[in-house]
Amino acid sequence: MLGLGVDRLQADINRLLTSLFHQGVLDEQFLQLQQLQDETSPNFVYDVINIYFDESEKLLRNLRLLLMDREFSDYKKIGLHLNQLVGSSSSIGARRVRNVCVAFRSASELSNRPGCLRGLEVVEHEYHYLKNMMHELFQLEQQRILAAGVRYPM
Amino acid sequence: MEKGFSPVGLRVLVVDDDPTWLKILEKMLKKCSYEVTTCGLARDALKLLRERKDGYDIVISDVNMPDMDGFKLLEHVGLELDLPVIMMSVDGETSRVMKGVQHGACDYLLKPIRMKELKIIWQHVLRKKLQEVRDIEGCYEGAADWITRNDEAHFLGGGEDVSFGKKRKDFDFEKKLLQDESDPSSSKKARVVWSFELHQKFVNAVNQIGCDHKAGPKKILDLMNVPWLTRENVASHLQKYRLYLSRLEKGKELKCYSGGAKNMDSSLKDAEVNSGHQSPGKSSYAFSGGNSLLHKATETDPNPLASASVSDPNTDVHMPPKAKKTRIGFDPPLSSSAFDSLLPWSDVPEALESKPPILYDNSFLQQQPLPSQSSYASNSAPSLMEEEMKPSYETPVGGTCVNTEFLMPQDKSPTVTLQDLDLSAPSAISCMKLQDFSLNVTNNTESILRSLNWELPESHHSGSLDTDLDLSWLQGERFLANTGLLQFQDYSSSPSLLSELPPHLWFGNERLPEPDEYSFMVDQGLFIS
C-alpha cells in the first residue's frame, strides 16, 4: 500500500490552508508563491518565508526599541520601518499582518504614542500567529514528503 | 495573451531593498526565461550598470530604498544609460506614480506584482529599440532627401539602407554632421513641450476668452500666466488646437470610424481593455487600461470616449516601417474620440523640423497613448510621457498655414482643403490595408527581433512569427515607436513648416502611402494636387 499517510497529510495541509485563507491570514499572493515553486527550486516557498521571518523580526525588534525609548520622537523612522513591513508582508501574502501594519502606520502618522504602542502589540501578535501557522504548515509538508517517499512492500 | 511571446534571455536588473521581494521577483523573472541580476542597493545597481554599459536590457527598481531614492536612480539610469526603467512600489498613490512617470519611468507596478506584468516588460525594451531605429532611419531619410535637394550626393550613400544594428554613438556622430551641414541661417528655437498641464492651462485660457476666434495668442498667453512661454509658442499651438477642434466637429459626423473600428475589435484584447477601464487592478494600475489613472490624475472624464477610442486607434493602419523617401500623404485621421482620451497631450511636431516636406515615414507623428491595446497599452502612456520630458518640440516662428507644406512640396492648398480631404479618407482605407500591414509588421518585427538576438521561444515556420505573437500590440508599437521620433530636432534649420502639422496627422496615422496607393488616393479625391 502506498502512503495512505500521504493522503491524510495532504488533507490536513489543505484544511490548514483553507482555514488560513478563510481567516484572512493569507491571501492569493501566497498561492502565487506556491505556483512559483518547481523542480528547479523545490523549497522555494520555505526559503522565501524564512527570509521574510528574518527581515520582519529585525524590523519588529527595531520598532520595539524605538517605542520603548522614553525620549522617543522619531515617528518618521517608525513609518519607514512599517513601509518595509507592509511591503514584505504583501510579498508573501500575509494579509492580516499587512493590514495591522497599515493601521499602526496611521497611528505613527498622527504621532500618537499610545496608539503606536498598541499598534506594535497587535502587529507582534499577528506576526507570531502567522509564524506558528507557517511552522505547522511546513511540518505537515515535510511529513507528507517523507510519507510519499515510503514504499510499502506488497 | 495567454501563451505570451517572451524573448528568452532578456537581461533584467532588479533593484529592491526588500530581500523577500528580491527573491520572489528573481524567481518570477526566471520563470519568464529572462536573465536576472538582483541588487539590494541602488548604488550597487548603478555600479553594475556603469561597469557593463550594454550588460542589461531593462531595470526594475523599487521606489523606496534606503540609500538612494528610487526616482534618483531612475534619473541616472535614464540619463546615463538610456535604459527602460520600471518602478515598483507598495504605494500606488497617484502623485507618486506621476512622479515616476515624470522622471522617465516606462511603467509603474504596484506590489504585489503578478507574473503577467513581468511577462510583458520586454515590450518596453522593444519599443525603445524601435524608437532608436526610427531615429536613425528618419535621420538618414531626412539626410538623403536633404542631400538630394542640395545636390550633395557624396554625403551619405543612398541613405536607404539602415541597419538596425547601427550603434547609437555612430548615429549621434552622423547627426552631428548633419547638423553642421544644415542651413547656417537657422536659428535654434527654444523647445516647448506641451505637457498635459500646459495644454490644460491653454484650454482653460481659450475657454475663458470664449469663442476661440476672438482668442488671440497674446490674450491666451496672458491668461495662461506661464512666464517662459512665448506668444509664438501659443500661436502655433493655437492653430493646431483650432484644427483639432474643427476636425472634431467633422469627425463626429462620420460613421466610417465606427465601422472601421469594429473590424479591429477582434484584434483587441477586449478583456484587458475592459478591465483596464473598470478598475485599474492592483498592479501597474497606473497604466493598465491606459488612461484610467491618468484620468484620475487629471480629473477628466474620458470614459464615454474611452471605449470608443479603444478600438479606434486600431483602425489606423500603418505602413510598413521601411525607410522611404516617399511623400507623406495624409493618413486617415485618427478618430477624434481617441484624441480626447489622450492625455498627456504632447505636441508632436518636434520632428517636423526637418527640411521640409517629405519623409520621415511619419515619424513625427506623435502617437498618443492608445487607451489600451492588450497589455501593451499600459506601456504606451508612460512612454509618451517619457517623451514629453525630452526637449523635443520646437515651435517655429508664427505659424500660418504651414500645414500644407509638409504634404507635398508643391502643394499650396489651404489648410481647409486638407482637412476636408482628410476626413473623407476614412478608416475604410485602413481596413483594406490591414492585411498588408499585418504581413509587413510580421516581417519587420521578426527582423528587429533577430537583430536584437532574441530567441523566439516557439519555433516558427517559414519566417512568420508564431501566431501566438499578438501583433495588435505591435501596431500600437508602431504608433508609439514613432513617438520617439522626437529626435529630429537636430535635423534642422529653417523654421520648420512641418511643425505646423495639423493635429489629425499626429495620432499615429503614420501611413506612408505606397505608389500604388497614391493612385488609389488620387482616385478617391484624397490627393491634394
Side-chain angles (χ1 to χ4, degrees), chain B residues 372-388:
Chain B
S372 62
Q373 244 186 48
S374 53
S375 35
Y376 186 72
S378 53
N379 311 322
S380 37
S383 70
L384 183 64
M385 301 219 221
E386 192 180 333
E387 298 305 351
E388 248 184 71

Side-chain angles (χ1 to χ4, degrees), chain A residues 28-29 32-33 35-36 38 40-41 44 47-48 51 55 84 87-88 91-92, chain B residues 17-21 23-24 27-28 31 64 66 90 111-115 282:
Chain A
E28 61 275 359
Q29 179 65 16
Q32 292 261 322
L33 278 192
Q35 280 166 17
L36 285 174
D38 57 18
T40 57
S41 50
F44 181 70
D47 293 337
V48 173
I51 295 175
E55 283 302 299
Q84 286 178 283
S88 34
S91 79
I92 62 153
Chain B
D17 66 321
D18 183 343
T20 334
W21 267 116
K23 184 139 180 104
I24 295 176
K27 182 70 184 170
M28 283 189 182
K31 277 220 151 162
N64 305 308
V90 248
K111 288 178 169 175
I113 299 181
R114 295 289 145 86
M115 270 290 276
K282 288 197 303 181

Side-chain angles (χ1 to χ4, degrees), chain B residues 453-471:
Chain B
N453 291 322
W454 281 349
E455 274 170 52
L456 305 178
E458 289 120 359
S459 60
H460 44 285
H461 10 99
S462 58
S464 61
L465 283 179
D466 207 73
T467 46
D468 282 330
L469 173 59
D470 183 354
L471 287 176

